[in-house]
């Protein structure tokens, strides 16, 4: 969407009011990974589809997009509950996720999302820190962050599948991210592309910016609680200076 300075001011005021905060002291950005930093979601969706088929279950690729952001375990349990009326055993969780990872690793390397590096670079130039909060445990992709994004992210304070118990849409991953970055919710923004991820950022009381990089309808991101919605990274970048300047005006009462 195209926002005016006044739209952005109103969005920040609504966020502060909703959470009972008086100031917005922007210091860091918490980035989701799949669909925000890498265009990996189509590969995740096809890998899930094939792995589930191998184990006799049906998970259409489109549905996989709707589960985006969940942990692998949560996704497997939802599908198995639907298909077989029960949750998965520890062995099944391990085997199915391992199979999905094998298929994912066979996919071409996911390309970075256009503009993502430029956006993080702008944030860093404005004195902000950035880290990654992802439900992913895909070592193949996690290992590529530095190749593409240099030292833009605090990788030692990243949150991955290995840190969380519940995963998105629970606020837990973002709450852990805030803790690792040593900031309060009103000192950060979340950048997300999926409804469940937006829900998690919103529930963690962080100002959540949705960037719709995939096939879903943008209204789903607003309904999940996005404070701002952009249809591409380019659109977010176009608004960045204005957003940052308006945000700065909320640093002190
Ligand atoms: Ca995502």
């Amino acid at each position: 969407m195209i926002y005016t300075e006044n739209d952005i001011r109103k969005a920040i005021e609504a966020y502060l009011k909703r959470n009972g905060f008086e100031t917005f002291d922007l210091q860091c950005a918490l980035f989701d990974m799949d669909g925000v930093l890498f265009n990996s979601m189509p590969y995740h969706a096809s890998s899930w589809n094939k792995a589930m088929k191998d184990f006799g279950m049906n998970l259409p690729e489109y549905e996989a997009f709707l589960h985006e952001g969940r942990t692998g375990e949560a996704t497997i349990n939802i599908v198995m509950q639907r298909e077989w009326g029960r949750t998965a055993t520890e062995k099944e969780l391990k085997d199915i996720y391992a199979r999905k990872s094998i298929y994912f690793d066979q996919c071409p390397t996911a390309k970075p999302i256009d503009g993502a590096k430029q956006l993080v670079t702008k944030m860093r130039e404005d004195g902000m820190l950035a880290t990654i909060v992802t439900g992913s445990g895909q070592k193949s992709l996690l290992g590529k962050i530095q190749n593409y994004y240099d030292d833009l992210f605090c990788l030692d304070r990243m949150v991955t599948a290995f840190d969380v118990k519940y995963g998105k849409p629970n606020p837990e991953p973002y709450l852990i991210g805030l803790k690792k970055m040593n900031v309060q919710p009103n000192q950060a923004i979340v950048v997300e592309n999926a409804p469940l991820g937006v829900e998690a950022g919103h529930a963690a009381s962080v100002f959540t910016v949705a960037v719709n990089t995939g096939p879903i309808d943008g209204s789903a991101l607003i309904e999940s609680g996005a404070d701002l919605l952009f249809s591409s990274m380019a659109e977010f970048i176009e608004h960045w200076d204005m957003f940052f300047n308006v945000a700065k005006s909320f640093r002190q009462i």
Side-chain angles (χ1 to χ4, degrees), residues 58-132:
N58 178 37
L59 171 58
E61 290 189 23
Y62 172 77
E63 188 192 331
F65 274 95
L66 299 177
H67 289 304
E68 181 181 353
R70 285 195 209 284
T71 61
E73 292 194 0
T75 302
I76 293 165
N77 274 325
I78 285 171
V79 176
M80 196 175 283
Q81 189 73 48
R82 183 186 68 221
E83 299 274 305
W84 297 347
R86 64 172 179 86
T87 53
T89 63
E90 283 299 317
K91 186 175 185 315
E92 285 168 335
L93 290 173
K94 207 167 143 258
D95 290 349
I96 298 170
Y97 193 70
R99 185 70 60 92
K100 186 258 172 177
S101 298
I102 289 170
Y103 283 126
F104 186 77
D105 289 344
Q106 288 169 355
C107 292
T109 303
K111 296 273 183 292
I113 293 277
D114 285 343
K117 188 172 183 178
Q118 198 190 337
L119 175 69
V120 192
T121 303
K122 271 180 159 302
M123 290 174 171
R124 297 302 310 269
E125 284 167 1
D126 283 331
M128 290 172 62
L129 292 177
T131 196
I132 298 169

Side-chain angles (χ1 to χ4, degrees), residues 32-36 41 68 192-194:
D32 171 49
M33 183 172 77
D34 291 293
V36 169
M41 271 316 294
E68 181 181 353
E192 267 287 352
N193 73 306

Side-chain angles (χ1 to χ4, degrees), residues 140-160:
S140 58
L141 202 48
L142 292 170
K144 292 199 173 69
I145 295 169
Q146 197 148 26
N147 295 357
Y148 286 115
Y149 290 96
D150 307 324
D151 293 321
L152 289 169
F153 293 105
C154 306
L155 295 182
D156 55 332
R157 287 183 270 178
M158 192 160 87
V159 180
T160 72

